[in-house]
Structure formats: C-alpha cells, structure tokens
Amino acid sequence: MDKASSIFVAGHNGLVGSAILRKLRAAGYSNLITRGRAELDLTRQVATDAFFAEHRPEYVFLAAAKVGGILANNTYRADFIRDNLYIQTNVVDAAHRNGVKKLAFLGSSCIYPKFAPQPMHEDHLLTGILEPTNEPYAVAKIAGIITVDSYRRQYGLNGISLMPTNLYGPGDDFNLQTSHVLSALLRKFHEAKASGAPNVTVWGTGTPRREFLHVDDLADAALHLMLHYDEPGIVNVGVGDDLSIAELAALIRDVVGYEGEIVYDTSKPDGTPRKLLDVSRLHATGWKAQIGLREGIERTYRWFLENPSD
Ligand code: GDP
C-alpha cells in the first residue's frame, strides 16, 4: 500500500472508521474512498457489488458494523446478527470479485468464550460457549473471521482479521441506551456534576473486568497491520491490561471532578466476567499501544464537552 493507493474505509462515520480515516489522512494517504450509509447501504449485495465494480478500491478497511453496548446487543439481537452478516459477506465477496489487494476485517474481543482463560489468546476462539448478552453479534463476527479465512484459502484473497478489545475515544456513542460503559459513565458523571445529583448509577455489580483501548491507538495498529501483517486467523489488538468496572467508575468520577456517590444497579447484567486480551502476537509485530487510560479518558471527555449530543 503506498500513499497513492485507493483505499476504501467502510464505516467511516463510526468510532473505528473515523479514527482510521484520520490516521490515513495524517499519514499522507490521499486516495481515500468513503460512502455514508445513505449513499451506499452495505447490507445490500447488489449496491455493494456495483460500488466495488465502479471504484475498484485496492485496499479495504472493513469497519462498517452494527455495534452497541450490552443493552443494545441484548435487545436488538436479530438486527445485530443480520446486519453484520450481510455487511461483512457483501464486502468480502465484492472485494474478492473486484481484485482488492488486501482487506482488514475488524471484529471484537466478544468472539471469545464467556469463560475463556485470561488473558485470551487467539487460539481460544471456538473453544467454549459465548456470553449470552452479545451472542448474535459474536456469532456474526466469528462468521466474518471464517469468511475471510475461507476466501483466503479458496480464492487467495489477502484478508486479515483484527480483534480489538473494548474501544473508546472521540466519535464514541454517548447515548445511554446504546453506548458502551466508558462513554456512558463519562456522560452520567458529567450530567450528575452539572445537576448536583447526589449519586450516579452504575449497572451491574462493578466486579466485571474490562480492557480499554483508545480508538486512535486502534487506528494506528490497523494501519501497521495492513502494512506489515499477512497471516490467516486472527490477531488481538489491545493493551494487555484491565481494570474492574468499579475502578473505571472511580477513575471517570475523578477525571470529571464529581464528588457524589456511586451506586450499583444489580438488576442490570454484568455480562462476561473478564475480557482481557493476550497481546503477545500483536507485540511480536512490533506494535504497542501508546495512550494511557487516564490520558485517553481526559481526551475523550474534552471531545465530549466540545461536541454536545442530545
Ligand atoms: P460489554 O463489554 O459487551 O459487556 O459491554 P458494555 O461496555 O456495555 O458493558 C461493560 C460492563 O459495564 C458491563 O458489566 C455493564 O453492566 C457495565 N456497566 C456499568 N454501567 C454501565 C452503563 O451505564 N452502560 C453500559 N453500557 N454498561 C455499564
């Protein structure tokens, strides 16, 4: 891939796609192709095919997906499996039939079994039952991995599959019904501070552990792996370190400067007890995350303040 290569960033309005686009622009890539959902619906095979046949991108970052936090995943189960299966199947097949030189598929750490040994190594894929709250999404992403590998084996498509841990950063979803925990808590603490509320409610018990990667680090890793990694199977993209939801809540409370109490709503699900990635394969490629969690949360909070949503 060189600076003049044509590169399609699928999903460029989302958290991941927008970060990849920023990264590519900053690194001097000038032939970038993007399409909003209104212009190109990737769940439609005919439209996806026509787009690839017309533009013939050389490289594809497949960051288009239906994503959400624990509540959205658990509520819109049919939508999560359907949209993700459609999008990835259409894009991978069109990439193959239109001569794409390389494709990077973005998955998620929820593809691993609910009780996988920690940290979770790439070899733990398909070794146990999945977490029920996001099983439809996880099954779709696992199908995406197998799709990419199958096109590699049968047709020689140069596809790689990256499995990021929980992501956060500018462009995140701050809607409390659909968001992941980090952005949700930033918003909750911010609003509680502004209104003088005596406490903030955190879902679940506070004991589940999660790992968080700033999306600018993920974008940097995605470019690095597009340039330097060519293996079948999957590669984890994380920081190799985690904390409990209670510790995360305390950190966010501190960053926001809120002085009230934290209360736990144990009627809400905890989800997977722990999701920490083994990042030795990633580190062996010469890449390591750079943005510390506190610094990343501070940057995200500034972005949230400058980009108010409703
Ligand atoms: P998960 O990593 O797929 O489970 O997705 P989430 O980021 O949505 O949730 C991670 C953990 O944070 C779960 O144990 C949630 O119950 C917990 N959590 C605590 N408060 C919140 C909240 O306000 N929103 C969300 N989405 N999760 C929360």
Side-chain angles (χ1 to χ4, degrees), residues 69-70 166 179-181 184 188 202-203 208 210 245 269-270 275:
I70 192 165
N166 291 38
S179 61
H180 284 95
V181 61
K188 286 183 181 177
V202 173
W203 295 350
R210 294 288 184 273
I245 297 301
D270 269 343
K275 265 203 278 190

Side-chain angles (χ1 to χ4, degrees), residues 68-71 73 110 131 133-134 166 176 178-182 184-185 188 201-206 208 210 212 245 248 264 268-272 275:
I70 192 165
L71 182 65
N73 263 279
C110 70
E131 155 59 31
T133 54
N134 56 24
N166 291 38
L176 296 180
T178 52
S179 61
H180 284 95
V181 61
L182 196 151
L185 293 186
K188 286 183 181 177
T201 302
V202 173
W203 295 350
T205 59
R210 294 288 184 273
F212 296 94
I245 297 301
L248 177 74
Y264 290 92
K268 293 284 196 307
D270 269 343
T272 287
K275 265 203 278 190

Side-chain angles (χ1 to χ4, degrees), residues 74-156:
N74 203 18
T75 309
Y76 305 108
R77 298 175 70 91
D79 299 352
F80 271 79
I81 190 162
R82 180 200 58 221
D83 287 357
N84 287 304
L85 284 172
Y86 277 147
I87 291 168
Q88 69 207 23
T89 307
N90 292 342
V91 171
V92 172
D93 188 58
H96 151 59
R97 280 187 294 102
N98 291 281
V100 163
K101 291 181 181 161
K102 188 165 179 180
L103 173 143
F105 170 61
L106 276 294
S108 157
S109 61
C110 70
I111 52 142
Y112 288 112
K114 178 177 175 111
F115 300 112
Q118 304 287 323
M120 301 184 291
H121 188 269
E122 287 86 352
D123 292 345
H124 295 141
L125 180 64
L126 290 173
T127 56
I129 56 158
L130 297 163
E131 155 59 31
T133 54
N134 56 24
E135 188 180 42
Y137 175 78
V139 167
K141 287 292 181 184
I142 293 168
I145 295 163
I146 307 292
T147 301
V148 169
D149 274 351
S150 302
Y151 274 74
R152 174 187 279 274
R153 281 270 292 275
Q154 187 179 340
Y155 296 120

